[in-house]
């Protein structure tokens, strides 16, 4: 036993020492956050949500933002899959494995954050056994719909990720597994189509429907059939930007060309176009809110934009959206590395800000005229669980990038040029 | 239910009686307002937003679950019921929005959707230390940590009264009336509880008599009905309104004015 | 028969496992297991059932004698329902009855004084505790130093009368009462005022927050219904728009602390109509308070004052009410006198002076008679704390360390003395006790009508029983305590009778007026006025031990450990204070720190309203260390008649 532990420690040490100093520091920080994640996770699960800064007046906090953000950004997986397998945009082939993995991780951690967020994690399965379906099997609660769609899509992602995992050199050597992997890969378009179908629903439901059906709240209520799609467009736009960003960062860390430039340009173009659509959709949404929906409550839209998380977030979102469009849409901009990078980062930031507005501003708006805006500042437990979770995600991604054929292009590349660059840095 | 704010002295007996009747959880610090659990909140409201000294006034508004029904009384849809992913909350035939505490998974979606902040979440484990346990009411189950709880107009008392009536030979159990703990505790009879569907009930008669003084918490759509019925109808079609079943009465204009956001 | 080979064996084994598993899953057992796991991890408590019954009883806590019914499940009391439950006393009773920190046996101190930990005490038997206390008392009496025995009571009731008698029988006059509406008016007027609010038609309240815990809350609530029915006019003078001021028909927004001056102004107007009271010397002072002077001092207009005087004098049965505050009352003796003079001037039949007839004089032993000559009778509790001397002190339900402006001095003196405290909960005063006797809630008290509805809690006993059995062990006192038990005593006690004439002391009036006018002068050092406000149930501190009462505290007063004081918006602007800011408040008597501001125009300009009842050092974990107690920095001027610090109005500065 002691021998085993010693070997495991040695392996981790060797792994750690194989990276450059910058990555070492990043890994150190991530390990620290992960340790916090474990410690505070136990505290939250065993002693309750009292340790968060959420309250009866502010029931949704940072983890919900994490869920929304992760699902939305993980939405890049279905968009890319759809573009590759259904639209046959073969330029995207080199990035697809990476997107599937990120999608998988995003959804996995959505579930993990959700388990922390609900007060009774042990009753989480009630969502399957007592679903709130209404008439004609239309989900009454958007959360029921989200639970089911998320689960089904997560299963699809699991199947999608199997061929990638099977390509690991140990597993690939087993003939049976090799064939399973191969044939699974062949039917991937069916999964992509099913995934897109499901994703459409839960992206719209979690990001949009969940909020716009709360007709008692001026800050959230709006027409379901509009906001639902606004959010889907947002997820496709932000998701593709996020997939690109992850692959780009992986390339930087590994110091090699993981994905050919034309793949980046192709996906950036798709992202740019989708961001234009989202910009317009969001603008329409804000205008409709201000002119049609909020006045129904006898309130004004601008009066909902006060407090700590007020108007500045809304302005920031539109600024970021403008930056994305300028950086990604014109060909000469997106083909220049720096502007391309600014573009995709702004894209991810814009979608994150959108989720921040939904939750932070939405929850802080006073319900009674004699109340003030509520201040919410996450506690150390919330920060550690959030950031620790993201760290675990990043570390799994790093490990996969190194040991799984996440980037077939890079491997082919290395194979052709001999061993000089093959050792992953 | 109707609450006459002209008669309410803000003594808070309703809140205490409610806590005692409904086994309110005792946390380490119950003065921690954002996290404490209570069904009935005494809200201190003053018009110092609109007026300056010495024209200001204050009043206390007891606020419990407003038992919303939405626009359609035949198909009641309170904001909180439709959002629950596990059907832990529902509207009964009696019009009371119920909540099954042992079904709740604690997602707090209903809390987020409630415009009246009527629902509370057990952020901590309820601590009934020592002999506090002895004063717990067996008719109300003790909620565990991590669930949402809410006022149900003491419907367990109704069950108690009906059981008692049945034991006494009464056949029509729907005719049995009861009084929630808060109403029973009100020393100035400011709270009136009854059947809104029965035009002969004390409550219905009071509300039809006192139309001028009646208002509902931050439910300004009522005013539109008086001003412009056509527009009111259009608005009711454009959007579902909570339509609470708790009415407040006041002769003071400033209280109604404070129900509006400015 | 075919031989079972390895393959078949695996097949059968696998089949059995698959079948067993699917059977297990489809039986629903895993879900039940999950449910069990949930219950186990959540430790859900299920209240025990039992036979339901309703005990009918009468609450004898006050003279209203409310009928009440107690819902019992088995031997547990789960709810109190009353026909008139306007009384927080009855609603909180179950929380006191079953309080987790209730003292369940006599305690003897083994640790340091001034600590709140239960480990500083050890449980002893009643006999042992009474023996130790009486031994100490006997020693003093034997040395003819019985005058160094003192007693402090809270309520004006039979048990307190027993303590008075015991102290006196020991040879001391040092039996004092915590300042309350009753004790203050008795000291100032020579009797307590019984108001007939139901039949008055115009009520003029001088800062008495009638509907916020003042007097007997259930009587006040009953009266309120009557006022609404009859259209009785309520005129409220106060510097804060309180609940009572809002429910009143007219609010007189006076400057803080000027109630007495307003009373003088109205008396002045009444005297112009030929009404008089208090004698020539008194009326001479009244003459000096013409409406324009009063208007300038109180901040009201001349017209307002004249109108109120007019309404008051025209009313058929008007009544003026003194005693500023809710549960905690602070008015100077001059104010009680001046307001009572108004009632006399207006010929009110709704305010009658009554005096309690309790037990009469005890028989003094030779030693006691010798020491009582040494005993110095002081005017009141604060006077006693400041100037008095004691070696043994018995505290009957009171909490003067917390409630008195001289609390810190008392604590210091108690540190050196032998202290006995009769209380159900370990309060700030009991922190200094050498012996503690657990007393009962009214649910466990035997009443004149019969047995108590509930059995006494563990080893608790009524304060009266406790004092009677103590007296049996004290030398030379036994003869004055012929009763076998407290119930025995109840049956023999008398009712209250009318009090004699009021002594209108013009000297005191002149002094008090001068002090107020001095306080009103703008001062550079202390530019602001501080006055107290109270919260529902918290009152002046008694409610803080009850978690359900804590649930009623509103956000703008106390939340998450932050106590807020209310400041007028304009004033806050002048002093550069913003909403929610942390400030320190200092007066010439001291400084309190770390309170937050809440800007609201419900408070008069240049005024801070600070909530009472917070900042306990002990009094159970629910009350401990929450907010700050302002009494220490409130005015310490001792009133010559009531012997109590008039803490209502204090000049302060903020920083």
């Amino acid at each position: 036993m002691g021998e085993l532990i010693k070997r495991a420690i040695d392996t981790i040490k060797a792994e750690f020492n194989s990276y450059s100093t910058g990555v070492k520091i990043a890994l150190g920080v991530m390990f620290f956050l992960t340790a916090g994640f474990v410690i505070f996770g136990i505290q939250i699960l065993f002693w309750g949500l009292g340790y968060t800064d959420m309250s009866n007046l502010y029931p949704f906090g940072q983890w919900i933002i994490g869920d929304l953000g992760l699902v939305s950004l993980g939405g890049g997986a279905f968009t890319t899959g759809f573009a590759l397998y259904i639209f046959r945009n073969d330029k995207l082939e080199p990035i697809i494995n990476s997107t599937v993995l990120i999608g998988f991780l995003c959804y996995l951690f959505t579930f993990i954050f959700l388990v922390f967020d609900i007060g009774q994690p042990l009753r989480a399965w009630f969502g399957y056994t007592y679903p709130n379906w209404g008439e004609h099997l239309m989900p009454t609660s958007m959360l029921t719909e989200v639970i089911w769609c998320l689960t089904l899509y997560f299963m699809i992602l699991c199947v999608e990720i199997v061929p990638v995992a099977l390509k690991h050199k140990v597993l690939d050597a087993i003939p049976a597994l090799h064939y399973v992997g191969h044939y699974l890969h062949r039917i991937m378009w069916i999964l992509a189509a099913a995934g897109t179908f499901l994703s459409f629903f839960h992206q719209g439901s979690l990001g949009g429907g969940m909020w716009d059906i709360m007709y008692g709240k001026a800050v959230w209520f709006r027409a379901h059939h509009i906001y639902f799609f606004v959010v889907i467009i947002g997820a496709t736009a932000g998701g593709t930007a996020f997939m690109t960003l992850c692959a780009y960062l992986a390339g930087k860390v590994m110091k090699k060309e993981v994905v050919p430039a034309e793949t980046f340009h192709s996906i950036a173009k798709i992202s740019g176009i989708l961001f234009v659509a989202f910009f317009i959709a969001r603008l329409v949404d804000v205008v409709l809110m201000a002119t049609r929906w909020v006045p129904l409550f006898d309130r004004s839209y601008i009066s909902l934009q006060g407090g700590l998380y007020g108007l500045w977030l809304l302005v920031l979102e539109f600024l970021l959206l403008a930056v994305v469009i300028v950086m990604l849409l014109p060909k000469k901009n997106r083909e220049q590395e720096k502007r391309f990078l600014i573009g995709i980062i702004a894209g991810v930031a814009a979608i994150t800000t959108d989720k921040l507005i939904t939750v932070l501003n939405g929850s802080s708006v006073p319900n009674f005229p004699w109340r003030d805006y509520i201040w919410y500042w996450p506690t150390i437990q919330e920060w550690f669980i959030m950031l620790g979770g993201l760290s675990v995600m990043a570390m799994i991604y790093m490990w996969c990038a190194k040991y799984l054929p996440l980037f077939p292009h890079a491997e082919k590349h290395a194979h052709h040029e001999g061993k000089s660059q093959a050792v992953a840095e | 239910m109707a609450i006459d704010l002209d008669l309410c002295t803000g003594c808070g007996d309703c809140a205490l009686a409610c806590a005692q009747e409904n086994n309110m959880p005792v946390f380490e610090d119950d003065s921690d307002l954002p996290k404490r659990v209570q069904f009935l909140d005494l809200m201190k409201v003053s018009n110092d937003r609109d007026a300056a000294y010495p024209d200001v006034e204050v009043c206390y508004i007891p606020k419990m679950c407003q038992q919303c029904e939405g626009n359609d009384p035949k198909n009641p849809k309170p904001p909180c019921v439709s959002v629950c992913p596990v059907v832990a909350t529902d509207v009964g035939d009696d019009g009371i929005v119920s909540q099954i505490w042992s079904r709740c998974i604690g997602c707090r979606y209903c809390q987020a959707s409630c415009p009246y902040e009527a629902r509370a979440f057990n952020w901590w484990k309820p601590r009934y230390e020592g002999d506090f346990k002895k004063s717990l009411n067996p008719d109300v189950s003790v909620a565990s940590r991590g669930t949402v709880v809410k006022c149900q107009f003491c419907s367990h008392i109704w069950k108690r009264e009906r059981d008692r009536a049945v034991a006494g030979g009464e056949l029509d159990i729907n005719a049995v009336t009861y009084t929630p703990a808060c109403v029973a505790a009100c020393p100035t009879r400011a709270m009136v509880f009854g059947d809104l569907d029965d035009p002969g009930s004390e409550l219905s008669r009071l509300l039809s008599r006192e139309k001028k003084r009646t208002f509902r918490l931050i439910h300004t759509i009522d005013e539109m009905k008086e001003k412009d019925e056509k527009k009111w109808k259009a608005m009711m079609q454009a959007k579902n309104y909570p339509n609470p079943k708790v009415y407040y009465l006041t002769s003071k204009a400033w209280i109604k004015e404070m129900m509006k956001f400015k | 028969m075919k031989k079972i080979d390895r393959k078949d064996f695996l097949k059968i084994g696998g089949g059995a496992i698959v079948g067993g598993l699917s059977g297990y899953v489809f039986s629903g057992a895993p879900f039940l297991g999950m449910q069990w796991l949930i219950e186990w991890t959540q430790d859900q408590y299920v209240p025990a059932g039992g036979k339901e019954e309703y005990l009918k009883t009468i609450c004898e806590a006050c003279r209203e004698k409310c009928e009440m019914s107690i819902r019992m499940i088995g031997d547990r009391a789960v709810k109190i329902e009353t026909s008139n439950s306007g009384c927080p006393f009855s609603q909180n009773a179950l929380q006191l009855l079953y309080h987790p920190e209730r003292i369940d046996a006599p305690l003897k101190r083994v640790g340091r004084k001034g600590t709140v930990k239960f480990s500083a005490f050890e449980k002893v038997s009643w006999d042992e505790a009474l023996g130790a206390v009486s031994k100490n008392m006997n020693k003093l009496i034997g040395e003819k130093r019985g005058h160094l025995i003192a007693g402090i009571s809270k309520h004006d009731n039979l048990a307190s009368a027993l303590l008075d008698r015991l102290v006196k029988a020991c040879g001391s006059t040092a039996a004092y009462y915590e300042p309350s509406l009753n004790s203050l008016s008795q000291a100032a007027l020579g009797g307590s005022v019984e108001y007939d609010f139901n039949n008055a038609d115009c009520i003029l309240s001088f800062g008495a927050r009638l509907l916020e815990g003042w007097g007997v809350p259930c009587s006040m609530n009953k009266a309120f219904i009557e006022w609404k029915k009859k259209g009785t006019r309520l005129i409220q003078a106060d510097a804060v728009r309180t609940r009572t001021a809002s429910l009143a028909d007219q609010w007189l927004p006076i400057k803080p602390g000027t109630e007495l001056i307003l009373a003088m102004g109205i008396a002045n107007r009444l005297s112009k109509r030929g009404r008089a009271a208090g004698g020539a010397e008194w009326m001479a002072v009244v003459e000096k308070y013409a409406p324009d002077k009063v208007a300038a001092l109180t901040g009201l207009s001349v017209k307002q004052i004249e109108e109120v005087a007019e309404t008051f004098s025209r009313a058929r049965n008007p009544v003026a009410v003194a005693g500023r505050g809710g549960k905690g009352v602070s008015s100077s003796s001059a104010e009680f006198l001046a307001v009572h003079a108004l009632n006399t001037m207006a010929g009110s039949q709704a305010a009658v002076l009554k005096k309690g007839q309790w037990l009469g004089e005890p028989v003094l032993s030779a030693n006691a008679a010798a020491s009582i000559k040494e005993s110095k009778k002081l005017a009141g509790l604060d006077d006693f704390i400041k100037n008095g001397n004691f070696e043994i002190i018995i505290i009957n339900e009171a909490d003067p360390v917390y409630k008195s402006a001289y609390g810190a001095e008392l604590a210091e003196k108690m540190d050196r003395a032998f202290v006995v405290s009769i209380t159900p909960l370990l309060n700030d005063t009991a922190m200094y006790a050498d012996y503690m006797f657990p007393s009962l809630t009214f649910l466990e008290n035997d009443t004149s009508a019969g047995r108590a509805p509930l059995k006494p809690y563990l080893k608790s006993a009524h304060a009266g029983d406790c004092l009677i059995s103590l007296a049996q062990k004290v030398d030379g006192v036994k003869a004055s305590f012929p009763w076998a038990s407290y119930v025995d005593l109840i049956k023999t006690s008398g009712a209250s009778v009318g009090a004699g004439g009021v002594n209108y002391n013009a000297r005191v009036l002149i002094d008090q007026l001068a002090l107020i006018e001095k306080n009103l002068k703008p001062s550079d050092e202390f530019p602001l006025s501080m006055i107290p406000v109270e919260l529902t149930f918290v009152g002046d501190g008694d409610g803080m031990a009850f978690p359900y009462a804590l649930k009623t505290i509103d956000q703008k007063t106390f939340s998450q450990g932050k106590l807020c004081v209310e400041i007028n918006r304009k004033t806050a602007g002048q002093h550069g204070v913003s909403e929610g800011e942390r400030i320190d408040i200092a007066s010439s008597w001291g400084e309190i720190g770390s309170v937050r501001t809440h800007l609201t125009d419900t408070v008069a300009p240049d005024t801070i309203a600070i909530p009472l009842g917070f900042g306990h050092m002990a009094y159970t974990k629910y009350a401990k260390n929450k907010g700050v107690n302002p009494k220490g920095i409130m005015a310490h001027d001792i009133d010559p008649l009531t012997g109590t610090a008039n803490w209502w109005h204090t000049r302060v500065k903020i920083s």
Side-chain angles (χ1 to χ4, degrees), chain C residues 403-485:
Chain C
K403 285 181 185 167
S404 167
Y406 286 93
E409 282 89 333
L410 178 62
E412 210 176 281
K413 286 190 173 176
M414 293 209 311
D415 218 9
R416 298 190 298 265
F418 182 80
V419 182
V420 180
S421 178
I422 303 170
T423 173
L425 296 171
L426 202 163
N427 56 24
D428 291 34
T429 309
M431 273 163 71
Y432 297 91
D434 293 273
Y435 278 90
M436 256 191 275
F437 293 109
S439 62
L440 301 178
T441 66
F442 75 93
L443 294 174
E444 304 149 294
N445 285 355
D446 290 328
T447 61
S448 50
R451 298 291 300 172
L454 297 175
K455 269 193 221 122
Y457 180 85
L458 299 177
K459 286 179 184 154
S460 306
H462 191 274
D465 279 325
C466 171
L467 289 166
I468 290 172
S469 27
L470 179 63
Q472 306 299 328
K473 295 186 186 235
V474 178
D475 297 339
V477 169
K478 218 183 277 176
S480 306
F481 289 81
W483 311 283
S485 71

Side-chain angles (χ1 to χ4, degrees), chain C residues 98-344:
Chain C
Y98 294 129
H99 202 289
E101 288 191 23
R102 200 171 153 192
I103 303 167
D104 53 5
L107 297 179
K108 174 192 173 188
R109 176 173 296 277
V110 289
R112 203 167 47 79
K113 277 199 179 190
T115 52
V116 275
K117 288 197 191 105
F118 273 101
S119 60
F121 295 94
E122 140 189 305
K123 281 185 193 179
V124 289
S125 71
W126 274 94
D127 278 342
E128 193 187 335
L130 289 171
V133 174
S134 58
K135 199 177 134 208
N136 273 296
M137 290 172 77
N138 286 340
K139 189 169 162 256
L140 271 191
I141 295 169
E143 292 167 2
K144 298 189 181 167
R145 295 200 297 142
H147 60 278
L148 292 175
I149 295 172
I152 302 177
S153 303
K154 180 183 184 182
H155 305 287
D156 180 21
N157 61 18
L158 212 45
S160 308
L162 277 173
L163 180 59
D164 290 0
R165 193 176 173 85
L166 174 63
V167 168
K168 195 152 200 189
C170 291
S172 167
T173 52
Y176 297 98
Y177 283 81
E178 225 171 35
S180 65
L181 182 63
N182 248 344
S183 70
L184 290 178
S185 50
Q186 267 175 21
L189 305 170
S192 55
V193 190
E194 260 181 34
Y195 294 102
D196 184 7
F197 284 118
N198 291 352
N199 293 315
D201 62 345
C202 174
I203 296 151
L204 177 55
S205 155
F206 290 87
R209 292 164 184 169
L210 300 175
L211 300 166
E212 290 159 84
W214 186 91
V216 182
C218 37
S219 321
M220 293 317 298
N221 281 318
K222 271 185 188 160
F224 178 66
I225 305 176
E226 289 297 311
W227 299 345
K228 283 279 157 193
K229 264 190 218 151
K230 292 183 182 162
T232 303
R233 196 167 170 78
L234 172 62
I235 304 168
Q236 179 83 10
D238 207 331
V240 181
R241 186 67 143 166
T242 57
R243 278 185 282 144
T244 311
S246 252
L247 289 163
D249 301 278
Q250 191 182 353
W251 175 40
L252 301 173
I254 56 168
K255 282 187 189 161
T258 56
E259 283 84 356
L260 176 56
I261 292 171
L262 178 65
M264 298 310 286
I266 292 167
N268 182 292
R269 290 293 90 193
L270 293 182
S271 78
K272 289 281 167 295
R273 290 183 172 76
R275 317 271 184 91
E281 215 182 325
W282 182 275
M283 287 310 287
V285 185
V286 169
E287 285 314 310
K288 287 186 196 150
Y289 283 83
D292 47 345
K293 184 180 178 185
V294 173
L297 288 169
T298 57
L300 300 174
S301 69
V302 173
K303 202 174 146 231
Q304 266 175 313
I305 296 163
E306 283 183 338
E307 268 175 16
V308 169
E310 173 83 22
T311 318
F312 191 71
S313 68
R314 285 243 180 125
R316 189 180 43 78
N317 189 14
V319 61
V321 187
R324 292 179 293 199
K327 267 262 158 297
V329 168
S330 173
S331 278
S332 65
S333 50
E335 201 173 304
F336 275 105
L337 288 167
V339 172
H340 194 72
L342 282 183
N343 284 330
T344 314

Side-chain angles (χ1 to χ4, degrees), chain B residues 9-11 13 24-25 29-30 32 36-38 48 56 58 125 129 131 134 136 139 160 185 252, chain C residues 43 71 76 85-86 224 241 243 246 457 536-537 548 551 553 558 560 566 569 600-601 621 626:
Chain B
T9 63
C11 73
D13 268 340
M24 281 296 102
D29 179 8
D30 272 303
D32 177 3
R36 75 188 174 201
V37 172
Q38 62 184 8
D48 62 358
V56 284
V58 294
K125 186 183 168 191
E129 284 163 285
D131 282 349
K134 284 194 179 165
L136 291 181
D139 296 348
R160 204 153 81 202
K252 290 178 176 166
Chain C
D43 186 21
R71 180 163 180 247
R76 307 185 295 123
S85 52
F224 178 66
R241 186 67 143 166
R243 278 185 282 144
S246 252
Y457 180 85
T536 300
F537 298 127
Y548 291 161
K551 281 179 194 284
I553 296 176
F558 183 82
Q560 291 165 302
E566 296 176 327
R569 273 208 210 102
T600 170
D601 271 359
K621 67 178 184 186
K626 283 197 174 110

Side-chain angles (χ1 to χ4, degrees), chain B residues 172-262:
Chain B
D172 181 12
I173 58 165
N174 287 322
V176 176
T177 56
Y178 76 107
T179 317
C182 52
V183 178
C186 182
T188 57
R189 307 277 175 271
M191 294 167 114
V192 179
F193 179 77
D195 189 353
L196 282 171
D197 288 340
D198 172 12
S201 69
E202 189 198 345
L203 175 64
S204 300
R205 277 185 286 127
L206 175 76
L207 288 177
S208 57
R209 197 170 64 230
E210 299 281 4
K211 264 199 182 120
K212 279 245 162 59
R213 291 205 296 142
T214 308
F215 73 99
R216 292 187 277 178
L217 279 192
I218 56 161
H219 195 75
T220 46
I221 184 82
D222 289 349
E223 219 167 79
M224 185 59 71
K225 192 177 183 182
E226 286 159 29
K227 270 194 229 153
D228 184 351
E229 184 137 11
K230 227 181 192 171
K231 197 173 169 201
W232 174 78
K233 257 187 191 150
M235 281 172 85
M236 290 294 268
Q237 268 160 10
K239 180 189 169 294
N240 203 2
Y241 284 90
N243 259 339
K245 288 198 281 278
V246 177
Y247 293 83
Y248 291 83
L249 306 173
T250 183
S251 53
K252 290 178 176 166
W254 72 266
I255 296 183
K256 288 185 187 173
E257 199 53 37
M258 277 311 287
M259 293 299 137
K260 292 176 193 154
F261 287 91
K262 270 186 185 162

